[in-house]
Amino acid sequence: MIQSQNKSKKVLSLVLPLVLGVIAFFVIVGPKVLNPTNIAWLEAGDSATHYLGWLFYRNSEWEFPIGLNSSYGLELANSILYSDSNPLLAFLFKPFSFLLPDNFQYFGIWLLLCFIFQAWFGSKLVGLTTDSNLLRFLGAGLIVFAPPMLWRLHGHLSLVGHFFLVAALYLAFKANLKRRELTWGFLIAATALVHAYLLALVLAIWIADLSGRVIKKQVPVRSSIFEFVVLTLLVGLVCWQTGYFSVGVGTISGGFGFYRMNILSIVDSSGWSYILRDFPQAAGDYEGFNYLGLGIIFLLILSLPCLFSGKIVRIGAIAEYWHLVLLFIALSLFAASNTFAIGSVEFKYHLPNLFLELANIFRSSGRFFWPVFYTIIYLSIFFIIKSFDRRTAAVVLGLALIVQVVDTSAGWLSIRKKLMVQPSSAWSSPLVNPFWGDASKKYKKVRYIPIGNHSPKWESIAYYAGQNGLSTDAVYLARVSSHSVKSAQMLASEVLRTGDFQLDSLYILDDAAFRSALIAGNSDSDLFARVDGLNVVAPGWKNCADCRFSGDEIK
C-alpha cells in the first residue's frame, strides 16, 4: 500500500509540472503560434530577424563552423546566433529542411518547451524544500508567472528560456549532486546553443558553485580541476561551432549603463499591475525590467518576520552559501551598472575604459539580475513552507499564485493579443510589382546602399530575398564587426563613384545614393527605376532578353 502511494506520488511529481507548463502556455501565449506554417506573429520587430535568420540558414549550404550564415548579411554576415534564431533548434531542423513546409517556423514549439521546462525545473527547485506535490505545484506556478520571463515574449524569443537559470540554481542549491560533470556539461552546452546572455549567467552560477564546494571540501580539488578543464573545453567547442567568434575584430557594441537595471525595478510594475503604480525611469531601463509581481511581493512581506526571527535560517546556514551570495552581489552591481539609479535619482561613477569595453560585450546589463530574481522567489516560497504547516502554506501559496496570475495579466494579456493574430503563412509585402519576380531569376544577391546593420526597410528586402533564395546585406544582427561595415561601405562608395555595379546583384538605394548612381551609372545597360516606392538599380537588365519592366524608369 505504502509502495503504491509512493509510486503515485512520484508519477504526480512528474505529471503536474508538465500540466502546469502546458496550461500556462495556452493561457498566456495561446495555440496559434504552434502552427509551424504560421509566421504572421513573427512579422514585426526582433521576431522578424529571428525568423529571417532561420529562413536564410535553412536554405543555404552547410558551412564550417556549422553556425555560419553567410547569405544573411553578405559582407556583414556572421552566425545564426546573432540573428537570435535559436541555434539549438536551427541545428536540429536544418537537416530535415527538405521535408519541412516552405514557411516552417519552430519558435512556437520553443515557447511551449520554455513553459514546460520552467514549470519542471521550478518544481525541482521548490522540491529541495518540500516533498509535497501540491506545494511544489504552487511554487512552480509562481516561478512560471515571472514577469521578466513573460515580458520577453514581446520579441526576444530565445530569452524566454529562463528555465536554464532555474535549472542552474537547482543544481547549485542541491546538496548532493551526482555526476556533476555530465549534468553541468549538458546544461551549459544546451544553454550555449540558445543565447549568449543565458550562457554567461549559467557559467557564473556553475563557477560559483564549483568554487564554493571545493573550498567547503565537498568536491575534491583534482575532480574540480578535471570538471573545470573539461567543461571549459566543451563550452569553447560548442561556442566555436555555433559561431560566437564569427563577428571578428571590431565588434560594434555599446549601451552599458544605458540598458541597466533601476534599483526600484523589482517593485516597478511598468504596466504589469492593476494596483501598483509605475515609477519614473530612464529610456533604457526597460532592459532591466525585473518586477517581482504582486503575488511574490505578498509572500515577501509575510516572509520578513520569519527571516529576521532567525528561527528558520540562522546566519551560519546563510554562510554556507557565501559563494552564491557573493555572486548575487556581483550580478546585482553589474545589472545596476555604473549609471546607478533609484527611480528618477541617478548618479554615475567612473570605471576604467578597459572594464567598460568588456562590459559592453553584455551591454544589456539589467538582464544579469535574473538569477537573483529567481532566488528571491525561491526564498520567499522557502520561508512560507518552513514557517507554516502544509495546509496553511498551501493556502498562502495558492492565494499568492492567484494574485500573481490575475495582477500580472495587466502585462501579458496585451502580449497574448499580439501572438494570437490571424495565422498566415506569408508576410504582407510592399514589393508587388512583377519586376521583383523576374529580378529574382536574374540576380543572386540583393544589396542596399548605404550599407549598414538595421538599414531602412530591411524586413521587406530581406523577406523578398529569403523567399526567393537570394542573399542580402539588408539585415538586422545583434552584433556586427565595425571593420566589416567600414570595408563594405568603402566598396559601396566605390561602386557609386564608378557606376560599376556587380552583375549578380540587384541594388536598392536611398535617395542620396540613387542620385550618385544616376550620375555615374550606365543607363544603356542598367535599369534605374522607382519600383514600389524603392530606388532600384538593376545591372545589365536592358541586355537581358527575358527581363521585363513596367514602371517608372529614371534615366
Side-chain angles (χ1 to χ4, degrees), residues 68 132 225 425 449:
L68 295 184
S132 167
I225 293 174
S425 60
I449 301 179

Side-chain angles (χ1 to χ4, degrees), residues 5-6 16 36 193 217 359 368 400 412 443 505 511 514 524:
Q5 288 178 343
N6 290 336
L16 285 177
L193 289 169
K217 298 183 179 180
F368 276 67
W412 54 259
Y443 301 105
S505 299
D511 291 342
F514 193 58
D524 292 333

Side-chain angles (χ1 to χ4, degrees), residues 41-52 107 153-157 419 427 458:
W41 63 287
L42 299 167
E43 186 169 352
D46 291 335
S47 298
T49 196
H50 302 343
Y51 171 71
L52 288 170
F107 299 101
L153 288 167
H154 74 82
H156 297 162
L157 303 182
L419 298 177
W427 289 356
W458 69 272

Side-chain angles (χ1 to χ4, degrees), residues 316-346:
I318 297 176
E320 282 291 307
Y321 294 96
W322 62 267
H323 52 292
L324 293 177
V325 172
L326 289 178
L327 171 65
F328 294 153
I329 292 172
L331 291 177
S332 299
L333 290 174
F334 187 78
S337 82
N338 64 323
T339 309
F340 195 84
I342 303 176
S344 58
V345 179
E346 178 182 292

